Amino acid sequence: LLTATTVRTYAQSSLELGIKGGGDYMKIGGRSFDGKQYPGFQAGVYGQLNFTSKWSLQPELNFSQTIGKTSDEFNGIYGGPSGQQVTLDYVDLPILVSFKPVPELSLLLGPQVGYLFAQTTGLLPPTTGATDAFQKVDFSIVFGAQWNLDKVAIGLRYQAGLNNISFRTTDTWRQYGVQFYVAYQLKDIKLKKK
């Protein structure tokens, strides 16, 4: 359906390129963590391929940060420090479908894959046989809304983790939380029919 729409509306499509930045309020779920949300930040670039005035595809490349804290049970489960702050740094690639019921409002939905390039170390004792407590890849679903003001957009999204990011499968760890951001359009390229 998306391919058919693209071919049919290619003459009136455009590609917007921009930057975005903001914060997030995430938590790491699982009995090994305290279940509280902590503030982090995110920043990146985006492209928006507009097929029609209402439908577009919005891929992004973002840096994001998730902060959590191990629970009182962490030491009893893994032998690591309880009450330890944990920082996870990701490169995220969300690919979102955008629907504009009115020009000022975009509704967004799509998958996101994140690659963990830095994490807090020293959480696990050598007896576990693992050096890192977290898996490298995180799959999430993202949905939210964006208020469009000419070249500026203000957005709010919810991110829900789909896979276990723990080094073990006995205790499931997933990321959940909200993201808020401001985006600025740098370029709008009109695509012409070949």
Side-chain angles (χ1 to χ4, degrees), residues 96 107-110 141-145 156-160 177 179:
L96 308 173
L107 303 177
L108 305 165
L109 173 67
I141 188 78
V142 177
F143 60 90
L156 181 66
R157 299 178 186 170
Y158 182 79
Q159 174 185 334
Q179 306 168 347

Side-chain angles (χ1 to χ4, degrees), residues 1 40 43 73 79 90 100 130 163 194:
L1 180 62
E73 297 178 55
Y90 284 92
K100 290 182 182 177
N163 67 306
K194 292 181 180 178

Side-chain angles (χ1 to χ4, degrees), residues 113-189:
V113 60
Y115 177 76
L116 180 65
F117 68 89
Q119 63 179 289
T120 300
T121 58
L123 290 177
L124 304 173
T127 54
T128 60
T131 54
D132 293 329
F134 294 87
Q135 300 286 344
K136 292 291 186 187
V137 179
D138 174 55
F139 295 101
S140 303
I141 188 78
V142 177
F143 60 90
Q146 181 174 287
W147 187 26
N148 306 307
L149 303 167
D150 194 27
K151 290 183 177 287
V152 176
I154 300 168
L156 181 66
R157 299 178 186 170
Y158 182 79
Q159 174 185 334
L162 299 175
N163 67 306
N164 183 10
I165 58 173
S166 168
F167 76 108
R168 282 189 182 163
T169 57
T170 52
D171 184 17
T172 301
W173 304 347
R174 287 191 174 96
Q175 297 185 78
Y176 307 91
V178 294
Q179 306 168 347
F180 48 92
Y181 61 90
V182 175
Y184 182 75
Q185 178 189 309
L186 297 174
K187 202 159 195 179
D188 187 3
I189 304 165

